[in-house]
Amino acid sequence: MSGAALGIEIVVVFFLALFLLHRYGDFRKQQRMVLFGTLLAWYLCFLIVFILPLDVSTVSPEPSSVPHVLTSVHPPQPCYRPWSYIPDGIMPVFWRVVYWTSQCLTWLLLPFMQSYARSGGFSITGKIKTALIENAIYYGTYLLIFGSLLIYVAVHPEWHLYELQTIGITAANTWGLFLLVLLLGYGLVEIPRSYWNASRHGHLLIKTYFKASKLMTEKADAEENLEDVMEEVRKVSESIKYNHPLRKYIDTILRKCPLDYQEKMGRNMDDYEDFDDKQNTYPSEKSLVKLHKQVIYAVQRHNRTRVQWQILLQQAIHLEDVAKNETSSTHQFVHSFQSSEPAGWFSRYVYTPTVEWYWECLLKRWFYRLLSVVLTLFSVAVVWSECTFFSTRPVLSLFAVFIQLAERDYNYLYIEMACFITIFFLCTCVYSTVFRIRVFNYYYLASHHQTDAYSLQFSGMLFCRLTPPLCLNFLGLIHMDSAISHQKKEPTAYTSIMGSMRVLSFIANGFYIYYPMLIVILCIATYFSLGTRCLNLLGFQQFMGDSEMTSDLIDEGKELIRRGERQQHHTNVSVLQEWKERYGNPREDYAARNRSSHEMKETSYSDSVTSSSSEAKYSRSGSRAERDCIELLQDAEPLDFNADSLTDDPLDTESGRHAGGRYLSMSSSRSRIFDDV
């Protein structure tokens, strides 16, 4: 069984990275180079996290190293070789390959691949040229620093290249530790609090309304941006005829446009009209490259907001169903909108309506509360250990105490499990923050295959830069890093490739020890939502329960969700009618359930007059009398409703209008820049 654990974890981690990439990326549409680079970066970082506990258990002390006082009272247990034992010489080679490959990715290859994927060039040569130009300053800085270090080594003969390598590793880890403390301080508080808030259905529902209002504003902006870009593409396509030398570039741009826009532009083209060389109004190739880049960005953003709106609508409907079913005396979970798909065996025999009611309305909230309490205790232990891990006599770090107790009995399984749970919790706090944060529309990881290539590769860069300092910080917490703990212990294979931090003693004895203590300040700031309050004061609207603007956005989001529910109801009715016409199966039992659940949902709203008027306003107008009624009912809408943009579809996701017209948010356009962090 020698090396079996290492082989199993290598395979498991690969499928974990592949699963996450499938969730956030799009295997069918995105470039293979982007997918491969992101997968490799995530895979290598996850490997470090999963394999490091095996490395720690490999360097457990021998029986002779246990103090004599302890051995006289408790005779040492025989030291057996664990099943996860890795033969000597494998781990150092493994860590060198993993570490240096990840560092080459994050500092050299991924920045180039980012610029290459984001480039609007029409050829490989053009994209490579653009990527090199954008990264010229980036790579030039590296060459300048590296050249200065080489000159310094040449002037001081007592220095060696090995020490130069250690300085480079220390510099990279120091940069990563700066960002690590920020993300870890936020995650230690926000993750337990998110699970506690998840147990409060009312809080989740009003926050979903708030998100719906902000998302609809972003969705409207994305649709407007797409329309503007498509209009520019149309003008350029009409000006450049079929036999123009630049026509091949226009065809490439058109293939990136949505299908409905391609059909509209195709109908307006005259393929038999030649171009005139005397005209000088043709765009240049450089302007077409810029337009190509704009099309890629606009289409991706439009698709992302549309998918996110549908997901958020389903979440709001589910939360409203939970709120209604909590008072049910039958203990049967009733959905407002029944699925048209046939129920599977899991729903028929295991997750029945009764089981679903007990889970959604009773057990789920207590499970989340219990999980929140456990995670809070872990967070407190991490904060305490971060402030005391430098103390070895006495040992104050809780994680070091646990590991040392297991070392005395040579309980390798306990050592590996304790190390894995600890480092997994630290990585969850850091990585989940990376998946949550949003920097304008520059970096944004969106699930359901909606993340663009730039954000995927940027996340890979962050993972590669954060994981090594995170692992060193973990080894410091359990007193396995001799450069910090100053104990004569056999170093792990991972710390051996990092070199001796004593080359830069002010880093090992100063920065690495005292800088992590800032986690206390960051946790306090996150607990009191100081960052959210500052963004709110600057005009970036955040979810604040005591804010009047937040209340207005919640009301606006509630109305938007109602309109989306009515649109989904009309869609379900249309599907049933299509089934009846095509297959002769009325499915009256399903229709009756759907109608009854929808009527129950409509009667739950307090203002029946507003609801009925909204139904008349946002339903399809097929007669003159109905259109007159719509004009009479326009006064019931807010002042920022634009009736000129009224469409037949109450929630037209393909056009630039939605919810019966353009429903502008009361907040500033800057409110969509930041997510609720």
Side-chain angles (χ1 to χ4, degrees), residues 365-654:
R365 64 174 62 185
W366 291 107
F367 172 76
Y368 280 161
R369 289 177 182 177
L370 179 61
L371 182 60
S372 176
V373 172
V374 173
L375 294 177
T376 302
L377 295 178
F378 263 97
S379 297
V380 173
V382 170
V383 173
W384 170 263
S385 300
E386 290 285 359
C387 297
T388 59
F389 72 92
F390 58 89
S391 175
T392 58
R393 294 182 181 178
V395 179
L396 298 179
S397 174
L398 299 179
F399 300 105
V401 172
F402 297 152
I403 298 301
Q404 291 179 7
L405 289 176
E407 287 178 347
R408 295 175 183 176
D409 297 330
Y410 308 103
N411 193 337
Y412 297 104
L413 181 61
Y414 176 82
I415 294 174
E416 294 170 2
M417 293 303 299
C419 291
F420 176 76
I421 293 174
T422 304
I423 196 172
F424 183 79
F425 177 72
L426 294 175
C427 291
T428 301
C429 294
V430 175
Y431 291 167
S432 64
T433 308
V434 173
F435 280 99
R436 283 186 180 187
I437 59 175
R438 176 180 179 181
V439 184
F440 299 90
N441 285 313
Y442 181 76
Y443 168 75
Y444 186 20
L445 285 176
S447 58
H448 296 82
H449 322 292
Q450 299 303 313
T451 305
D452 58 3
Y454 186 87
S455 298
L456 284 175
Q457 293 178 322
F458 191 79
S459 66
M461 292 171 55
L462 285 180
F463 284 168
C464 291
R465 297 179 186 184
L466 289 172
T467 303
L470 174 64
C471 293
L472 286 178
N473 180 258
F474 162 73
L475 293 175
L477 291 180
I478 62 175
H479 292 178
M480 294 297 293
D481 189 353
S482 59
I484 297 177
S485 62
H486 302 286
Q487 291 180 332
K488 294 182 179 180
K489 285 187 175 182
E490 181 183 355
T492 61
Y494 184 78
T495 54
S496 64
I497 69 164
M498 293 293 176
S500 176
M501 296 300 175
R502 295 186 179 89
V503 175
L504 300 174
S505 59
F506 67 94
I507 295 291
N509 299 328
F511 181 78
Y512 279 3
I513 292 177
Y514 298 106
Y515 181 72
M517 294 182 184
L518 292 179
I519 287 181
V520 178
I521 300 177
L522 293 171
C523 289
I524 295 174
T526 305
Y527 179 79
F528 291 102
S529 302
L530 296 184
T532 301
R533 297 179 188 275
C534 291
L535 291 175
N536 199 44
L537 291 176
L538 293 176
F540 304 108
Q541 187 61 43
Q542 303 293 300
F543 182 77
M544 303 288 295
D546 54 351
S547 173
E548 181 179 356
M549 183 64 70
T550 300
S551 301
D552 295 337
L553 291 176
I554 290 173
D555 295 336
E556 179 182 339
K558 185 183 297 185
E559 180 63 25
L560 292 171
I561 293 298
R562 290 181 183 178
R563 296 173 183 177
E565 291 170 351
R566 286 192 287 270
Q567 170 63 18
Q568 184 164 345
H569 172 68
H570 296 323
T571 303
N572 291 346
V573 172
S574 301
V575 171
L576 288 176
Q577 291 177 352
E578 183 178 355
W579 269 82
K580 181 178 179 180
E581 294 175 358
R582 181 175 299 181
Y583 301 105
N585 182 12
R587 302 180 66 186
E588 296 181 357
D589 54 341
Y590 167 75
R593 290 197 308 269
N594 194 15
R595 286 195 301 269
S596 61
S597 60
H598 181 70
E599 291 172 0
M600 179 176 62
K601 190 174 189 62
E602 290 294 331
T603 55
S604 64
Y605 299 132
S606 58
D607 194 354
S608 60
V609 177
T610 304
S611 178
S612 61
S613 62
S614 299
E615 285 286 354
K617 180 177 181 65
Y618 297 108
S619 60
R620 297 182 181 271
S621 56
S623 63
R624 177 64 179 273
E626 292 178 352
R627 290 194 296 270
D628 293 339
C629 292
I630 291 176
E631 295 176 358
L632 292 174
L633 291 173
Q634 285 178 359
D635 294 337
E637 289 296 325
L639 295 177
D640 54 354
F641 179 82
N642 187 2
D644 295 334
S645 61
L646 188 66
T647 60
D648 290 337
D649 195 345
L651 189 63
D652 189 357
T653 58
E654 297 296 333

Side-chain angles (χ1 to χ4, degrees), residues 261-327:
Y261 286 101
Q262 294 183 28
E263 295 175 357
K264 293 177 183 178
M265 296 176 190
R267 290 194 296 265
N268 297 330
M269 288 180 56
D270 187 1
D271 293 339
Y272 300 98
E273 183 179 354
D274 296 335
F275 74 96
D276 188 1
D277 291 330
K278 298 180 181 180
Q279 296 182 1
N280 297 322
T281 59
Y282 297 113
S284 62
E285 183 178 351
K286 185 177 180 180
S287 63
L288 292 180
V289 169
K290 183 179 179 181
L291 180 60
H292 187 204
K293 185 176 180 179
Q294 292 176 349
V295 168
I296 295 174
Y297 172 76
V299 172
Q300 198 279 332
R301 186 185 175 198
H302 173 260
N303 293 335
R304 184 186 68 204
T305 54
R306 184 178 59 182
V307 172
Q308 287 179 328
W309 169 254
Q310 295 297 328
I311 297 172
L312 191 63
L313 178 62
Q314 296 299 326
Q315 292 176 354
I317 293 175
H318 176 72
L319 291 174
E320 290 178 347
D321 289 343
V322 172
K324 290 188 307 178
N325 283 275
E326 283 180 344
T327 58

Side-chain angles (χ1 to χ4, degrees), residues 661-672:
R662 187 157 321 272
Y663 198 88
L664 301 178
S665 174
M666 300 178 186
S667 62
S668 171
S669 61
R670 294 176 297 176
S671 63
R672 66 181 178 272

